[in-house]
């Protein structure tokens, strides 16, 4: 025995690459409690109190667990109104990560979007994307412009396994520019990862092709880079020739292609609040600074506390670590595999931050007018106290038929352990077994825009 057998033991289990220092108790509820809670929330989980939720998969936004270094940063935060040291640390971190010199902090992603589209939107304009997130779309439309999704055809088929299902259909982009004229297209957007199409990644190759089209027509390319690190990880493991490169190198390649970036740091910034707006053009940047000061705050805090900037700076360092990303992507995939094994159709392959259940497959007895996605959302809450989110007819809004009726199980970063995820998978499988009992819903009250947040429903 020379010990070589010991050295060759290779464990395959990917564990959470952290241990837990602080715990937040979950209040247990019974099915009876949850039925009452759901009814008083008018069958809309956005209206449920957080303390009435066992596993909260409503969103991966803003619910991340911060690291001990981030909490230490919270104490270090410099609360100077102007020129806070925490801002300079954030600026340097972001510059190293993205190559952008001009960095504005904002309170969250949609504040960056609001400023950007006040500058480049407006009536008669058309803003194409691989797929706009709902707040991006709403901000574009609020400016009077039109928001268009040009995802690849594969993204409309849940079963179709494509390594970069978040890609843009480049021919469709060319056709759009030919049809409306480049002067009506102020910017082209790319959302990485593509949340709307299932948290699916965009390849470097596709980003480069889109960039070439932009160059031919002198159009700026804007990245919505909320989940840039997850996207970079998928590029690393799926795109030919990228495996030996670091996530930082790949991310830098992505950012190098862009003229501007909006980021909600509540995702891959690993913080509870914060966002960024990065703009290369100095004149446009100056106008963005003026708008930021008007409604958000001075350019070195942008509506955040100094401690928030500090936590963000640290979060952007931690999110590009291989150990973190391999655990992150694997833990989401693990849930996806369990649901598929239970016979539940999801968007395949699993995405980066969430699993998207195909609600039309889950509840085929419910017509689209009765919101099958919302019915599954309500079922999951009843069965397991799990809060999920409908991405289908409710979210799309009146008069719009989205390509799919989906239920998103979004996984907050570093919050839940494997046993929580096992519980979620069990609840989904149990609900699937009794799915014929799911009842459709009708809207009894809803606002005109972004209705999914506050709409009230009753069972059909
Ligand atoms: N862009 C994308 C791709 C997003 O997913 C989000 C938020 C935003 C922009 C807006 O950022 O919330 O900081 O203002 N997505 C969350 C979600 C809310 O649940 O998917 P924000």
């Amino acid at each position: 025995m020379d010990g070589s057998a010991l050295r060759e033991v290779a464990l395959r289990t990917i564990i959470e690459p952290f241990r837990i220092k602080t715990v937040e108790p979950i209040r247990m509820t019974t099915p009876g409690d949850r039925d009452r809670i759901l009814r008083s929330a008018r069958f809309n989980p956005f209206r449920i109190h957080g303390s009435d939720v066992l596993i909260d998969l409503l969103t991966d936004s803003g619910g991340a667990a911060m690291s001990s270094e981030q909490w230490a940063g919270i104490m270090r935060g410099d609360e100077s109104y102007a020129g806070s040291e925490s801002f300079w640390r954030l600026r340097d971190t972001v510059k190293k990560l993205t190559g952008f010199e001009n960095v504005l902090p904002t309170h969250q992603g949609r504040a960056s979007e609001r400023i950007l589209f006040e500058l480049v939107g407006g009536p008669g304009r058309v803003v194409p994307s691989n797929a706009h997130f709902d707040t991006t779309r709403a901000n574009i439309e609020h400016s009077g412009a039109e928001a268009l999704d040009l995802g690849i055809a594969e993204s409309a088929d849940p079963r179709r396994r494509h390594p970069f299902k978040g890609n843009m259909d480049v021919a469709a982009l060319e056709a759009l520019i030919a049809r409306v004229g480049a002067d009506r297209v102020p910017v082209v957007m790319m959302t990485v990862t593509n949340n709307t199409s299932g948290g699916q990644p965009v390849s470097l190759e596709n980003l480069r092709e889109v960039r070439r089209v932009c160059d031919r027509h002198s159009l700026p390319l804007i990245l919505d880079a909320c989940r840039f690190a997850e996207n970079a990880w998928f590029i690393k493991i799926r795109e030919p020739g990228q495996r030996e490169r670091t996530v930082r190198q790949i991310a830098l390649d992505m950012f190098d292609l862009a003229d501007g970036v909006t980021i909600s740091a509540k995702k891959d910034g690993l913080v509870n609040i914060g966002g960024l707006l990065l703009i290369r053009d100095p004149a446009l940047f100056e106008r963005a600074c003026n708008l930021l000061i008007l409604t958000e705050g001075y350019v070195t805090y942008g509506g955040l506390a100094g401690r928030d900037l500090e936590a963000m700076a640290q979060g952007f360092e931690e999110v590009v670590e291989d150990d973190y990303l391999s655990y992150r992507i694997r833990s989401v995939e693990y849930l996806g595999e369990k649901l598929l094994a239970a016979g539940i159709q999801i968007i395949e392959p699993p995405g980066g931050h969430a699993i998207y259940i195909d609600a039309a497959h889950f509840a085929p007895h419910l017509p689209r007018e009765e919101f099958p996605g919302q019915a599954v959302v309500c079922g999951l809450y009843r069965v397991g106290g799990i809060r999920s989110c409908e991405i289908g007819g409710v979210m799309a809004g009146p008069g719009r038929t989205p390509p799919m009726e989906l239920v998103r199980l979004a996984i907050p970063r570093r919050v839940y352990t494997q046993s929580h995820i096992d519980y979620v998978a069990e609840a989904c499988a149990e609900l699937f077994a009794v799915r014929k009992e799911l009842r459709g819903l009708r809207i009894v009250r809803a606002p005109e825009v972004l209705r999914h947040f506050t709409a009230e429903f009753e069972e059909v």
Side-chain angles (χ1 to χ4, degrees), residues 59 108-110 113 133 135 195 224 226-227 264 267 408:
T59 176
Q108 63 183 85
R110 68 197 71 181
E113 294 162 5
F133 181 65
T135 59
N195 187 2
D224 174 345
C226 299
R227 301 177 181 87
S264 166
K267 286 82 172 173
R408 187 182 73 171

Side-chain angles (χ1 to χ4, degrees), residues 372-390:
Q374 193 71 14
V376 174
V377 165
C378 291
L380 281 176
Y381 182 74
R382 277 201 163 110
V383 166
I386 296 159
R387 178 153 67 174
S388 56
C389 184
E390 191 259 14

Side-chain angles (χ1 to χ4, degrees), residues 126-258:
V126 182
V127 182
S129 172
N130 50 342
H132 291 288
F133 181 65
D134 57 355
T135 59
T136 323
R137 171 180 298 282
N139 272 293
I140 292 169
E141 291 175 352
H142 185 69
S143 81
E146 190 187 345
L148 278 182
D149 293 346
L150 304 177
I152 56 171
E154 287 87 343
S155 68
D157 178 359
R159 286 182 180 76
R160 187 74 178 267
R161 288 202 170 234
H162 182 292
F164 294 102
K165 226 175 167 177
N167 282 355
M168 181 185 265
D169 180 341
V170 182
L173 176 64
E174 287 275 23
L176 172 78
I177 296 170
R179 182 165 60 81
V180 305
D183 53 333
R184 283 182 57 201
V185 181
V187 295
V188 175
M189 273 196 103
M190 288 294 277
T191 310
V192 294
T193 57
N194 186 334
N195 187 2
T196 315
S197 84
Q200 300 290 322
V202 176
S203 69
L204 260 186
E205 187 190 14
N206 187 249
L207 285 170
R208 290 187 175 128
E209 281 174 25
V210 171
R211 175 77 246 181
R212 279 194 286 275
V213 175
C214 290
D215 285 342
R216 269 204 295 286
H217 300 281
S218 303
L219 300 179
L221 176 61
I222 307 291
L223 284 189
D224 174 345
C226 299
R227 301 177 181 87
F228 71 95
E230 291 170 5
N231 199 83
W233 180 260
F234 280 119
I235 289 175
K236 181 179 167 73
I237 60 176
R238 291 187 187 165
E239 195 156 345
Q242 300 294 329
R243 197 169 274 265
E244 301 309 318
R245 305 185 65 221
T246 66
V247 169
R248 272 188 187 279
Q249 287 169 332
I250 295 168
L252 198 54
D253 279 0
M254 290 162 46
F255 289 117
D256 271 346
L257 294 167

